Structures are given as C-alpha cells and as structure tokens.
Amino acid sequence: MKVFVSSDMEGTAGVVAWEQCRAPDPEYQYYRGLLQEEVNAAIEGAEAAGATGFLVNDSHSTMANLRPDALAGRARYLSGRHKPLYMMQGLDASFDAVFFVSYHGSMSSEGATLSHTYNPAAISEVRLNGVVAGESGINALVALGHGVPVALITGDATTLAEAQPFCPGIQGAVVKSSVSRFAADSLHPLEAREVIRQAARTAIERLEEAEPPRIALPATLTVRFRNADLAEMATWIEGVVRNDRLAVRMTDDDPVRLYRRFVTVVMLTRGIAE
C-alpha cells in the first residue's frame, strides 16, 4: 500500500508568521523541525494501519524543507522547485492514498492563519466549479486524474472545511484553531502529532470506503487576481479567458491538464506580482 504525501508548512501547529516558515530567518530552523515531526506522524499512523511505501513531495516555498534521513517509513523524498505538477509532482495511479500535511486556508477564507492560495501577492480567490477552493481543492484535481482518494488533511478547521466539498469522507487532523490570519491557538506539538498519527491510521483503515475526489468534469477554475494587469497577463496562456476585469476562467475535461494550466498561470503572474 503506497501513500503520497504533499507537505506544506503553514498548517503546522505553532506556525503563525511568515518568518517562521521561510529561510534564512533564524526561527525557520526550529519550525521546520515541527513540520518534519508532523509529516513523520502521518507516515507512522499510516504504517500502523498497514501502509508500506511512501513518497513525500516537499511542497512549501523552495520545496527543500525536510531532512531526508529523518523521514519515517524510509520514505522517498521529492524536493526542489520547478516541478511540472508542483505540489502534486510524483503522484500516479500506483498510489492508494494521498495525504495533505500542514495545509492552510484559502486567501478568501475568514481568519485562517497564514491564508493564501498559491501566491498571496497575485491571487485573491480561486473557485472550482463555483465553490471556493483552497490549495487542497485545486490539488485534488491531480488526485482525480489518477483515480486516487485524498484520505487525510492536517491544519486548522478552515483547511478541513475547504477540502470537504471536493474530498467527501476525508479524515481531518485539526491541530490549531485560527484566531486571525496571524494568530492561532495550537495544540502542544506532542499532542498535535498524536492527533495526526491517529487520523492517518483511521484514513488508511477506512481506505476501502474512500473514493477519488468528487469534482464534476469538465471542471472550471475561476481565478480572481489582485489587479487587472495580472488578469490580462493570465490570458496570454492558451485556454485562459477573461471572466471580468479581475478574474479569468479555464475549463477542461482533463483534470490534470487543467491543474497544469493553473500552475502555469501561477508561475507567469508570480513574475510581475513579485
């Protein structure tokens, strides 16, 4: 039984500031250790339920945050930037489950700690088939394309709530309660890991009941930007059309192709936004 783990960082218990999850800030070294332990807790929980193979795709910032020799389960480690499938690189139909570890709420959510949707400097909201989608919902397109259920998500309550419309039945490990975009009431790290460990174990134990993401095809992503220049730039990509002054939309019956088009929009608009 193989598990694909996509790990972000903002959803880690105790993380409430950008400085805590970005090098070279001195705080980053401590908080990357907390992330590592949460990833390991998810792997350990899955192992306890019978999973035997793991691939961890490091999906945060420069995508080189974990220490390969410290990964549980002798997991393979996919790291580094400029991946064609970005946060979902490495997933294929040979996997039995997808885990989203240390995920966060969308940019348009209310009060989710460190909320954003791929690029906070450019994107103000994304909707998938008309429903507000965080990174979990967008990334679920790739899981759908390969027919693999998204079985676990960890982070705050908003993160779980945003995943549920696209991944019904997903197990959630809520490790902190967001107070605002830059404050949260977090579980003690040891307790957070136990919550994740148990949720991961339950996710694998119930895998026979799980199903791939429930996203109607052809699917439409509507992306709203922070200014009109970004929306105009996005239309340079084939298949992306203007929805209104600040938004564009893209539709495809292939969920993986749709996701790749979205990632291309993110990378293109990132250049001007930064």
Side-chain angles (χ1 to χ4, degrees):
M1 184 182 294
K2 292 173 61 180
V3 178
F4 175 89
V5 181
S6 173
S7 65
D8 208 343
M9 188 170 181
E10 290 88 355
T12 300
V15 170
V16 294
W18 298 122
E19 294 80 8
Q20 293 171 335
C21 46
R22 291 176 178 171
D25 193 280
E27 288 288 285
Y28 165 74
Q29 294 301 328
Y30 170 72
Y31 287 97
R32 75 187 294 198
L34 295 185
L35 168 65
Q36 179 103 35
E37 292 303 325
E38 290 196 2
V39 170
N40 283 345
I43 292 172
E44 290 160 0
E47 276 190 307
T52 55
F54 302 90
L55 171 62
V56 176
N57 177 9
D58 192 326
S59 302
H60 174 69
S61 187
T62 58
M63 303 185 176
N65 304 281
L66 304 174
R67 299 190 182 280
D69 63 335
L71 282 171
R74 297 199 174 191
R76 290 158 45 210
Y77 182 48
L78 200 166
S79 59
R81 303 178 74 182
H82 305 305
K83 306 166 187 170
L85 288 179
Y86 211 71
M87 300 179 80
M88 299 301 286
Q89 186 69 40
L91 179 65
D92 59 35
S94 71
F95 286 89
D96 299 285
V98 172
F99 285 2
F100 291 153
V101 176
S102 193
Y103 269 46
H104 52 81
S106 71
M107 187 66 173
S108 54
S109 63
E110 292 187 18
T113 305
L114 297 184
S115 59
H116 63 283
T117 308
Y118 271 84
N119 182 10
I123 296 173
S124 61
E125 182 182 77
V126 176
R127 288 180 178 262
L128 175 52
N129 290 343
V131 179
V132 171
E135 292 176 8
S136 59
I138 299 165
N139 294 350
L141 285 165
V142 182
L144 173 62
H146 293 296
V148 183
V150 181
L152 173 74
I153 189 164
T154 80
D156 70 358
T158 298
T159 303
L160 172 59
E162 289 185 334
Q164 288 171 329
F166 310 105
C167 307
I170 190 172
Q171 291 295 312
V174 177
V175 298
K176 61 185 176 184
S177 174
S178 292
V179 174
S180 71
R181 194 163 184 242
F182 298 104
D185 179 353
S186 297
L187 297 179
H188 186 281
L190 292 178
E191 185 174 352
R193 293 164 205 165
E194 186 51 43
V195 169
I196 292 170
R197 197 173 289 114
Q198 183 56 54
R201 179 169 185 160
T202 300
I204 297 302
E205 288 174 342
R206 296 181 180 173
L207 203 52
E208 287 187 1
E209 307 166 18
E211 58 185 70
R214 198 176 294 169
I215 302 169
L217 298 175
T220 297
L221 282 171
T222 305
V223 183
R224 184 162 296 279
F225 294 97
R226 296 181 61 140
N227 62 62
D229 287 345
L230 294 168
E232 171 58 27
M233 177 177 277
T235 64
W236 298 355
I237 298 168
E238 185 175 0
V240 179
V241 298
R242 202 72 172 261
N243 206 49
D244 60 37
R245 189 175 69 87
L246 295 176
V248 301
R249 70 181 186 276
M250 56 201 91
T251 300
D252 209 305
D253 56 6
D254 182 333
V256 177
R257 187 166 58 209
L258 178 60
Y259 177 80
R260 290 193 64 167
R261 187 175 295 126
F262 171 78
V263 168
T264 304
V265 167
V266 170
M267 299 306 290
L268 179 64
T269 56
R270 179 169 285 163
I272 191 172
E274 293 179 347

